[in-house]
Amino acid sequence: NLGDKYRNVIGIFMNQILEGRKLSIFGDGHQTRAFSHIADVAPIIAQSIENPACHGEVFNVGADEAVSVGDLARAVMRAMGREMEVEHLPSRQEVQHAYASHDKLRRFFPAPPPLPLHQGLERMAEWATRAGSRKSRDFENIEIRKNLPPSWAG
């Protein structure tokens, strides 16, 4: 979602590039995440309906390789074909390294290897360039402001 400044860092970065703004990274950019493309996730969800062995089970679906947010910013810039300045915002209180094992998933589903990150970014960059930038709505009436990043407070 290019129009959500709170979630989906890839969409946030691409929207910032489309608007000619600095890419915002909370903290030093060394935190890692595993980013997945919808082409890897949607088929598994669709297949799960037809696979009685997986009913009632819980699976991690997504990418196997974690990447730092700083490296992701550079990869998004390459995919978008634009070099942008990066702005480091104050760190958020969040998990430093988040990724999951997909061993269980592979026992239930014959899935091909996930789409490499650079290919997924290229696909999304092509779409984002056609779609154009989007305006994000601000959070309103936030009840709990504890640990809310200042840039989100409005």
Side-chain angles (χ1 to χ4, degrees), residues 10-22:
I10 294 171
I12 292 168
F13 285 164
M14 288 187 179
N15 205 44
Q16 289 172 329
I17 290 170
L18 290 169
E19 293 179 347
R21 296 187 295 127
K22 298 174 185 175

PDB file of all heavy atoms in Angstrom, residues 10-22:
ATOM      1  N   ILE A  10       8.290  -1.138   2.445  1.00  0.00           N
ATOM      2  CA  ILE A  10       8.594  -1.080   1.012  1.00  0.00           C
ATOM      3  C   ILE A  10       7.691  -0.057   0.335  1.00  0.00           C
ATOM      4  O   ILE A  10       8.158   0.786  -0.434  1.00  0.00           O
ATOM      5  CB  ILE A  10       8.478  -2.474   0.363  1.00  0.00           C
ATOM      6  CG1 ILE A  10       9.555  -3.401   0.926  1.00  0.00           C
ATOM      7  CG2 ILE A  10       8.585  -2.373  -1.163  1.00  0.00           C
ATOM      8  CD1 ILE A  10       9.406  -4.856   0.527  1.00  0.00           C
ATOM      9  N   GLY A  11       6.399  -0.106   0.630  1.00  0.00           N
ATOM     10  CA  GLY A  11       5.473   0.882   0.068  1.00  0.00           C
ATOM     11  C   GLY A  11       5.796   2.291   0.524  1.00  0.00           C
ATOM     12  O   GLY A  11       5.707   3.246  -0.248  1.00  0.00           O
ATOM     13  N   ILE A  12       6.190   2.426   1.788  1.00  0.00           N
ATOM     14  CA  ILE A  12       6.568   3.739   2.316  1.00  0.00           C
ATOM     15  C   ILE A  12       7.764   4.277   1.548  1.00  0.00           C
ATOM     16  O   ILE A  12       7.762   5.427   1.087  1.00  0.00           O
ATOM     17  CB  ILE A  12       6.865   3.658   3.827  1.00  0.00           C
ATOM     18  CG1 ILE A  12       5.584   3.370   4.610  1.00  0.00           C
ATOM     19  CG2 ILE A  12       7.541   4.943   4.324  1.00  0.00           C
ATOM     20  CD1 ILE A  12       5.812   2.994   6.062  1.00  0.00           C
ATOM     21  N   PHE A  13       8.810   3.451   1.393  1.00  0.00           N
ATOM     22  CA  PHE A  13      10.000   3.896   0.662  1.00  0.00           C
ATOM     23  C   PHE A  13       9.654   4.276  -0.782  1.00  0.00           C
ATOM     24  O   PHE A  13      10.093   5.310  -1.283  1.00  0.00           O
ATOM     25  CB  PHE A  13      11.073   2.804   0.651  1.00  0.00           C
ATOM     26  CG  PHE A  13      11.819   2.617   1.945  1.00  0.00           C
ATOM     27  CD1 PHE A  13      12.564   1.461   2.147  1.00  0.00           C
ATOM     28  CD2 PHE A  13      11.815   3.569   2.957  1.00  0.00           C
ATOM     29  CE1 PHE A  13      13.277   1.262   3.320  1.00  0.00           C
ATOM     30  CE2 PHE A  13      12.514   3.375   4.139  1.00  0.00           C
ATOM     31  CZ  PHE A  13      13.251   2.212   4.316  1.00  0.00           C
ATOM     32  N   MET A  14       8.872   3.446  -1.454  1.00  0.00           N
ATOM     33  CA  MET A  14       8.540   3.739  -2.857  1.00  0.00           C
ATOM     34  C   MET A  14       7.726   5.020  -2.964  1.00  0.00           C
ATOM     35  O   MET A  14       7.954   5.826  -3.870  1.00  0.00           O
ATOM     36  CB  MET A  14       7.824   2.559  -3.494  1.00  0.00           C
ATOM     37  CG  MET A  14       8.752   1.398  -3.748  1.00  0.00           C
ATOM     38  SD  MET A  14       7.960   0.076  -4.680  1.00  0.00           S
ATOM     39  CE  MET A  14       9.330  -1.075  -4.816  1.00  0.00           C
ATOM     40  N   ASN A  15       6.799   5.239  -2.052  1.00  0.00           N
ATOM     41  CA  ASN A  15       6.000   6.468  -2.077  1.00  0.00           C
ATOM     42  C   ASN A  15       6.890   7.684  -1.819  1.00  0.00           C
ATOM     43  O   ASN A  15       6.736   8.723  -2.475  1.00  0.00           O
ATOM     44  CB  ASN A  15       4.871   6.388  -1.057  1.00  0.00           C
ATOM     45  CG  ASN A  15       3.706   7.273  -1.416  1.00  0.00           C
ATOM     46  OD1 ASN A  15       3.279   7.318  -2.573  1.00  0.00           O
ATOM     47  ND2 ASN A  15       3.175   7.973  -0.440  1.00  0.00           N
ATOM     48  N   GLN A  16       7.832   7.556  -0.892  1.00  0.00           N
ATOM     49  CA  GLN A  16       8.746   8.661  -0.620  1.00  0.00           C
ATOM     50  C   GLN A  16       9.582   8.977  -1.857  1.00  0.00           C
ATOM     51  O   GLN A  16       9.804  10.152  -2.178  1.00  0.00           O
ATOM     52  CB  GLN A  16       9.634   8.336   0.585  1.00  0.00           C
ATOM     53  CG  GLN A  16       8.856   8.344   1.892  1.00  0.00           C
ATOM     54  CD  GLN A  16       9.662   7.850   3.081  1.00  0.00           C
ATOM     55  OE1 GLN A  16      10.544   7.003   2.962  1.00  0.00           O
ATOM     56  NE2 GLN A  16       9.346   8.369   4.261  1.00  0.00           N
ATOM     57  N   ILE A  17      10.036   7.949  -2.561  1.00  0.00           N
ATOM     58  CA  ILE A  17      10.811   8.173  -3.787  1.00  0.00           C
ATOM     59  C   ILE A  17       9.948   8.861  -4.839  1.00  0.00           C
ATOM     60  O   ILE A  17      10.381   9.833  -5.477  1.00  0.00           O
ATOM     61  CB  ILE A  17      11.390   6.838  -4.318  1.00  0.00           C
ATOM     62  CG1 ILE A  17      12.497   6.338  -3.382  1.00  0.00           C
ATOM     63  CG2 ILE A  17      11.915   7.001  -5.751  1.00  0.00           C
ATOM     64  CD1 ILE A  17      12.977   4.927  -3.667  1.00  0.00           C
ATOM     65  N   LEU A  18       8.730   8.393  -5.029  1.00  0.00           N
ATOM     66  CA  LEU A  18       7.831   9.000  -6.011  1.00  0.00           C
ATOM     67  C   LEU A  18       7.566  10.467  -5.704  1.00  0.00           C
ATOM     68  O   LEU A  18       7.366  11.275  -6.611  1.00  0.00           O
ATOM     69  CB  LEU A  18       6.509   8.231  -6.082  1.00  0.00           C
ATOM     70  CG  LEU A  18       6.576   6.841  -6.694  1.00  0.00           C
ATOM     71  CD1 LEU A  18       5.267   6.085  -6.459  1.00  0.00           C
ATOM     72  CD2 LEU A  18       6.893   6.910  -8.185  1.00  0.00           C
ATOM     73  N   GLU A  19       7.577  10.820  -4.423  1.00  0.00           N
ATOM     74  CA  GLU A  19       7.340  12.204  -4.015  1.00  0.00           C
ATOM     75  C   GLU A  19       8.635  13.013  -3.900  1.00  0.00           C
ATOM     76  O   GLU A  19       8.601  14.186  -3.538  1.00  0.00           O
ATOM     77  CB  GLU A  19       6.581  12.232  -2.687  1.00  0.00           C
ATOM     78  CG  GLU A  19       5.168  11.678  -2.834  1.00  0.00           C
ATOM     79  CD  GLU A  19       4.387  11.661  -1.535  1.00  0.00           C
ATOM     80  OE1 GLU A  19       4.992  11.849  -0.444  1.00  0.00           O
ATOM     81  OE2 GLU A  19       3.168  11.441  -1.602  1.00  0.00           O
ATOM     82  N   GLY A  20       9.783  12.385  -4.194  1.00  0.00           N
ATOM     83  CA  GLY A  20      11.057  13.092  -4.135  1.00  0.00           C
ATOM     84  C   GLY A  20      11.512  13.423  -2.721  1.00  0.00           C
ATOM     85  O   GLY A  20      12.260  14.374  -2.515  1.00  0.00           O
ATOM     86  N   ARG A  21      11.064  12.625  -1.757  1.00  0.00           N
ATOM     87  CA  ARG A  21      11.411  12.865  -0.358  1.00  0.00           C
ATOM     88  C   ARG A  21      12.499  11.903   0.109  1.00  0.00           C
ATOM     89  O   ARG A  21      12.731  10.870  -0.492  1.00  0.00           O
ATOM     90  CB  ARG A  21      10.172  12.710   0.528  1.00  0.00           C
ATOM     91  CG  ARG A  21       9.106  13.753   0.229  1.00  0.00           C
ATOM     92  CD  ARG A  21       7.942  13.734   1.193  1.00  0.00           C
ATOM     93  NE  ARG A  21       7.190  12.490   1.111  1.00  0.00           N
ATOM     94  CZ  ARG A  21       6.905  11.724   2.166  1.00  0.00           C
ATOM     95  NH1 ARG A  21       7.304  12.053   3.370  1.00  0.00           N
ATOM     96  NH2 ARG A  21       6.202  10.628   2.016  1.00  0.00           N
ATOM     97  N   LYS A  22      13.116  12.250   1.227  1.00  0.00           N
ATOM     98  CA  LYS A  22      14.104  11.376   1.856  1.00  0.00           C
ATOM     99  C   LYS A  22      13.420  10.095   2.313  1.00  0.00           C
ATOM    100  O   LYS A  22      12.257  10.111   2.713  1.00  0.00           O
ATOM    101  CB  LYS A  22      14.730  12.054   3.087  1.00  0.00           C
ATOM    102  CG  LYS A  22      15.487  13.310   2.789  1.00  0.00           C
ATOM    103  CD  LYS A  22      15.938  13.957   4.094  1.00  0.00           C
ATOM    104  CE  LYS A  22      16.597  15.291   3.816  1.00  0.00           C
ATOM    105  NZ  LYS A  22      16.947  15.989   5.068  1.00  0.00           N
TER     106      LYS A  22
END
